[in-house]
Amino acid sequence: MKALDELIFDNRFARLGDAFSTHVLPEPLDNPRLVVASNAAMALLDLDPAVAETPLFAEIFGGHKLWAEAEPRAMVYSGHQFGGYTPQLGDGRGLLLGEVYNQAGEHWDLHLKGAGQTPYSRMGDGRAVLRSSIREFLASEALHALGIPSSRALCVIGSDTPVWREKQERGAMVLRMARSHIRFGHFEYFYYTKKPEQQKALAEHVLSLHYPECQEQPEPYLAMFRAIVERNAELIAKWQAYGFCHGVMNTDNMSILGITFDFGPFAFLDDFDAHFVCNHSDHEGRYSFSNQVPIGQWNLSALAQALTPFISVEALTEALGLYLPLYQANYLDLMRRRLGLTSAEDDDQKLVERLLKLMQNSGVDYTLFFRRLGDESAALAVAKLRDDFVDLAGFDAWAELYKARVERDGDYSEEQRRERMHAVNPLYILRNYLAQNAITAAESGDYSEVRRLHEVLSKPFEEQAGMEQYAQRPPDWGKHLEISCSS
Ligand code: AMP
Ligand code: MG
């Protein structure tokens, strides 16, 4: 276990030089204090969890102090936002403090979000509010616990610094961790500004640090692009299978590692709704739940365009063609498991589609349906779940197909079925209204609810005593919370 001053830095991105990022110091918050910390994320840095409670911790992650070896940098990138190209974005309110490596030899970027203005702030104040910092913290750690690749969050630091959004709020910082903060938009920036040397240096950096296995391939850059396609297909299959809606899938928010990245107005589905748009400002529904699948491909093709100086268009097109079949295979595999199936049959896709249509028409809770389906035998479970559906004849027909399918799948006990299904069907997810309750309490200085919710969500598949209230459908007020980009 390490103390805070024992972290070991190796700032590889900073060494790429000033064409890639700018040195900026964090702007401290007034009266910084710990809101919540993740022990699991602390463990990735070999940090003793007790250090989170020390004044030094809040001072460092509230922007007051820095390690001598940290080299805080604002990264430059660009990206396609809602389909249109924005030539320059960059870290407008976050700083890459440095890269730390742990005892296992893993490098982790430490990125402080809400750290003040940078050359890339445009009209922004460089700040993040407590509300959005808590949402990012809870979501990153909850996704990780669900087995969905995501950036991680070490802590949220609250403060007395006033920040103006629609109303006055308080500034906060979230310490985000990822193996890399490089986005599709990094490659787009050097492509559209016609800087082939820097673009090559960036590609070499990503290749050697994050895709070393591709260096052995005859065309390393193409192999790397293929791997990025694969990882994104797997990621989006997981989002779709677990009902996660990202909300702002601009190419500057897409990670070259295929992890969930840059949390804004995201949401987990409560009732199943394929057309759900979680971002109140997304009037055309570009990033609706079901559109995430084709948008994943659209974003990869924007990255492919930026890689045309290195890879032929034919090869890029062929690699892009892997996306949809890979997505479908991964998605179907996850949905089979969610239904408790251990084998594959040709009609499984239809079985899933029919179920989702019925859930859509009846507004069935997406998470609880699968959890309850695993509570007992298929016959008993569908008999109980039937009441949630409006189209009873439709559901009965589906239930007959499902029971017959389960029968063909294998001869296992109810206990085996429950164990297997509960291991993939969470009881607890980060519902918007749960986050909102925690935020309301935190805004009045009570951090206990954020901490409790974080704890519950860190074991989403395990039924936890006394935590029934976290496994309920939302109350009426919590169903249609409006979440915008203003964070
Ligand atoms: P986002 O919507 O959070 O992905 O941000 C898009 C771009 O706007 C990025 O370049 C951010 O750094 C920048 N940005 C967002 N909010 C702020 C802010 N309050 N101050 C400065 N820049 C911001
Ligand atoms: Mg962003």
Side-chain angles (χ1 to χ4, degrees):
M1 288 286 181
K2 285 185 183 145
L4 263 177
D5 56 2
E6 291 171 330
L7 294 180
I8 307 171
F9 284 82
D10 176 20
N11 306 318
R12 302 168 304 183
F13 191 85
R15 290 203 289 275
L16 286 173
D18 290 343
F20 299 83
S21 61
T22 308
H23 173 80
V24 182
L25 286 173
E27 236 175 90
L29 290 172
D30 302 336
N31 251 328
R33 51 198 174 252
L34 178 71
V35 174
V36 61
S38 162
N39 287 353
M42 301 275 283
L44 296 172
L45 303 179
D46 310 317
L47 281 175
D48 179 349
V51 305
E53 304 293 340
T54 62
L56 181 63
F57 190 86
E59 283 168 20
I60 290 183
F61 299 116
H64 288 257
K65 286 195 177 155
L66 265 184
W67 301 265
E69 310 90 322
E71 291 180 72
R73 313 283 300 190
M75 302 166 110
V76 63
Y77 51 80
S78 62
H80 281 85
Q81 299 186 303
F82 291 90
Y85 185 65
T86 307
Q88 189 181 300
L89 291 161
D91 289 333
R93 55 168 167 171
L95 296 174
L96 179 61
L97 296 181
E99 295 170 54
V100 164
Y101 65 93
N102 64 16
Q103 276 161 5
E106 293 170 347
H107 276 73
W108 285 95
D109 282 3
L110 302 188
H111 182 104
L112 193 58
K113 191 164 172 180
Q117 287 176 318
T118 77
Y120 314 112
S121 297
R122 296 177 294 166
M123 308 299 279
D125 58 6
R127 290 303 190 192
V129 293
L130 183 62
R131 161 176 59 83
S132 65
S133 305
I134 288 176
R135 279 172 52 84
E136 168 144 6
F137 175 91
L138 290 173
S140 5
E141 293 302 283
L143 281 167
H144 171 74
L146 286 170
I148 303 179
S150 174
S151 60
R152 304 293 304 272
L154 186 76
C155 63
V156 175
I157 302 296
S159 79
D160 291 336
T161 304
V163 173
W164 282 95
R165 293 297 178 256
E166 277 96 16
K167 57 183 177 35
Q168 186 178 314
E169 300 190 41
R170 300 275 177 80
M173 293 187 191
V174 59
L175 194 284
R176 177 166 71 192
M177 291 167 52
R179 306 299 294 275
S180 168
H181 274 67
I182 298 176
R183 309 147 187 262
F184 290 9
H186 276 89
F187 283 95
E188 293 182 280
Y189 175 75
F190 293 108
Y191 171 71
Y192 288 103
T193 53
K194 301 196 169 57
K195 293 184 179 149
E197 272 168 42
Q198 276 101 350
Q199 208 193 3
K200 182 129 206 276
L202 182 72
E204 284 298 326
H205 176 88
V206 174
L207 187 63
S208 61
L209 299 182
H210 304 294
Y211 292 98
E213 66 286 359
C214 297
Q215 285 176 312
E216 319 299 322
Q217 301 288 321
E219 283 191 69
Y221 289 165
L222 174 60
M224 176 170 80
F225 180 65
R226 247 193 235 122
I228 296 174
V229 171
E230 281 166 20
R231 288 201 198 180
N232 276 277
E234 284 165 25
L235 175 70
I236 291 168
K238 287 186 173 159
W239 288 357
Q240 300 311 114
Y242 284 98
F244 179 76
C245 201
H246 180 285
V248 197
M249 284 175 73
N250 293 337
T251 57
D252 53 301
N253 292 338
M254 300 301 293
S255 148
I256 49 104
L257 297 182
I259 59 175
T260 315
F261 198 65
D262 257 21
F263 294 85
F266 69 86
F268 277 90
L269 296 181
D270 290 306
D271 295 354
F272 181 78
D273 180 5
H275 315 300
F276 182 65
V277 180
C278 61
N279 181 355
H280 184 56
S281 328
D282 180 5
H283 304 294
E284 288 170 7
R286 178 179 173 88
Y287 300 136
S288 73
F289 180 65
S290 58
N291 264 4
Q292 297 190 124
V293 181
I295 288 290
Q297 182 159 18
W298 195 96
N299 287 343
L300 286 161
S301 63
L303 175 63
Q305 178 67 44
L307 295 175
T308 49
F310 309 127
I311 311 170
S312 75
V313 171
E314 295 71 40
L316 285 166
T317 310
E318 198 184 319
L320 270 175
L322 298 172
Y323 171 82
L324 214 52
L326 261 176
Y327 161 78
Q328 274 158 347
N330 275 288
Y331 175 75
L332 192 54
D333 178 54
L334 289 164
M335 294 310 284
R336 280 194 183 107
R337 286 200 254 165
R338 297 206 72 178
L339 286 171
L341 302 172
T342 58
S343 60
E345 282 187 12
D346 288 347
D347 280 349
D348 290 344
Q349 175 81 29
K350 279 194 207 129
L351 192 71
V352 170
E353 281 166 11
R354 271 179 82 157
L355 172 63
L356 294 183
K357 204 170 233 177
L358 288 161
M359 288 173 103
Q360 169 99 31
N361 292 342
S362 300
V364 172
D365 190 88
Y366 188 57
T367 301
L368 292 178
F369 176 86
F370 286 101
R371 183 72 181 191
R372 291 187 181 142
L373 190 65
D375 277 344
E376 43 217 327
S377 72
L380 273 176
V382 291
K384 283 194 185 163
L385 286 162
R386 184 175 190 266
D387 287 348
D388 292 346
F389 290 81
V390 178
D391 175 5
L392 289 177
F395 182 72
D396 290 342
W398 181 84
E400 287 312 310
L401 290 174
Y402 176 64
K403 283 187 285 183
R405 177 70 183 85
V406 168
E407 191 113 316
R408 290 195 300 281
D409 191 56
D411 185 18
Y412 34 74
S413 70
E414 202 178 306
E415 190 52 41
Q416 286 169 319
R417 173 181 156 86
R418 182 185 302 120
E419 212 171 277
R420 198 175 59 232
M421 289 183 72
H422 284 189
V424 291
N425 292 321
L427 181 57
Y428 311 103
I429 54 155
L430 180 58
R431 297 176 187 272
N432 259 343
Y433 90 96
L434 292 174
Q436 193 51 50
N437 281 341
I439 289 164
T440 305
E443 283 176 340
S444 63
D446 174 4
Y447 305 140
S448 60
E449 185 56 22
V450 183
R451 295 178 185 191
R452 196 175 315 122
L453 182 55
H454 164 60
E455 275 298 310
V456 171
L457 295 172
S458 67
K459 287 174 254 152
F461 301 106
E462 233 174 81
E463 188 161 352
Q464 298 164 49
M467 298 297 164
E468 297 77 14
Q469 73 270 31
Y470 296 101
Q472 309 286 334
R473 302 184 71 168
D476 278 341
W477 69 264
K479 278 187 184 158
H480 305 289
L481 293 171
E482 287 185 351
I483 311 283
S484 72
C485 269
S486 125
S487 59

